[in-house]
Amino acid sequence: MQLSVFVLAAFAAFASLLVEACYYETNFRSKAGGTRYYIANYSCKRVCVCMRDVTTYSLEKGASAGTLKAFASHDCSGAYSTIANGQVMKNAQWVNSISHGPSGASSWDGTCPNSFPY
């Protein structure tokens, strides 16, 4: 009985590591003091999210691993600003797309949703 409980606990711990390793979160507000929305990335890939049609007052990198980059372009190309853990980028109206996830090139699905969560 104790061995099966130990094995189950070990499996649960291992599974939680897998989930944490592939979860990236970005928070944003559409206006000062407004509702805080989040964009989650559950894949193990770097993802580009178009925010061209969304008013973005501030961006904040969630506590997850990986990096957050803010772009003026809608497809995560060109120059960007990096947002570090715990850092909040205010006056982010210029941001038209974000890229978050592990290091490397991001993939974009070609869509630009006009509301979040989507």
Side-chain angles (χ1 to χ4, degrees):
M1 177 68 176
Q2 282 184 322
L3 181 59
S4 63
V5 170
F6 174 76
V7 170
L8 185 59
F11 178 77
F14 178 73
S16 71
L17 287 175
L18 289 177
V19 170
E20 285 182 35
C22 294
Y23 177 75
Y24 307 96
E25 182 180 306
T26 299
N27 302 303
F28 76 93
R29 294 181 194 270
S30 58
K31 62 182 178 181
T35 303
R36 186 163 134 187
Y37 299 97
Y38 74 94
I39 301 168
N41 171 6
Y42 294 98
S43 74
C44 292
K45 300 176 183 173
R46 184 164 198 81
V47 175
C48 173
V49 179
C50 176
M51 299 182 74
R52 174 183 63 199
D53 300 324
V54 177
T55 302
T56 308
Y57 170 76
S58 66
L59 285 170
E60 177 183 359
K61 184 181 176 312
S64 55
T67 57
L68 170 60
K69 297 176 181 177
F71 296 82
S73 67
H74 70 281
D75 61 355
C76 297
S77 63
Y80 59 87
S81 292
T82 301
I83 303 168
N85 280 343
Q87 181 182 6
V88 176
M89 174 190 280
K90 294 191 177 181
N91 299 318
Q93 292 88 349
W94 62 271
V95 174
N96 285 312
S97 64
I98 61 161
S99 173
H100 63 168
S103 298
S106 59
S107 61
W108 177 49
D109 66 4
T111 63
C112 289
N114 61 6
S115 66
F116 286 90
Y118 64 105

